[in-house]
Amino acid sequence: MSLIDLLATSAELPAAWRSTLVGRFGSANFKLVRMDAGAYEEETHDFAEGLLVLDGEMRLSIGGAIVEVGAGQLYVVPAGVAHGVAPGSRGTLAILDV
């Protein structure tokens, strides 16, 4: 077992919007991303993606709408659904790729 300080790990990331793999659980990846005020382009995956905001706020763009996801909140994007991040997001995002 090992203890991982997610916020400290995120603070050490060299650049915003560059994820780092923290661990694997079965076939799932657990990653961290440091968000800045910039946007992140739309993408689609063939797997579900859990987006957990650890601190700050993410402005998720999905289905033509902006969903505000705050600290401690999780948004699950189903497989095949296009999503991106609108300008103004900041903080730490944990991503679970299932």
Side-chain angles (χ1 to χ4, degrees), residues 67-80:
V67 178
E68 306 275 341
V69 185
Q73 294 182 319
L74 171 70
Y75 192 100
V76 179
V77 179

Side-chain angles (χ1 to χ4, degrees), residues 39-95:
Y40 190 83
E41 65 187 52
E42 188 173 87
E43 60 186 10
T44 305
H45 309 289
D46 60 355
F47 50 83
E49 185 174 53
L51 304 172
L52 171 63
V53 177
L54 298 176
D55 70 346
E57 181 177 68
M58 177 179 59
R59 301 186 70 237
L60 181 65
S61 173
I62 189 162
I66 301 296
V67 178
E68 306 275 341
V69 185
Q73 294 182 319
L74 171 70
Y75 192 100
V76 179
V77 179
V81 174
H83 58 286
V85 180
S89 300
R90 68 200 176 345
T92 306
L93 177 65
I95 302 172

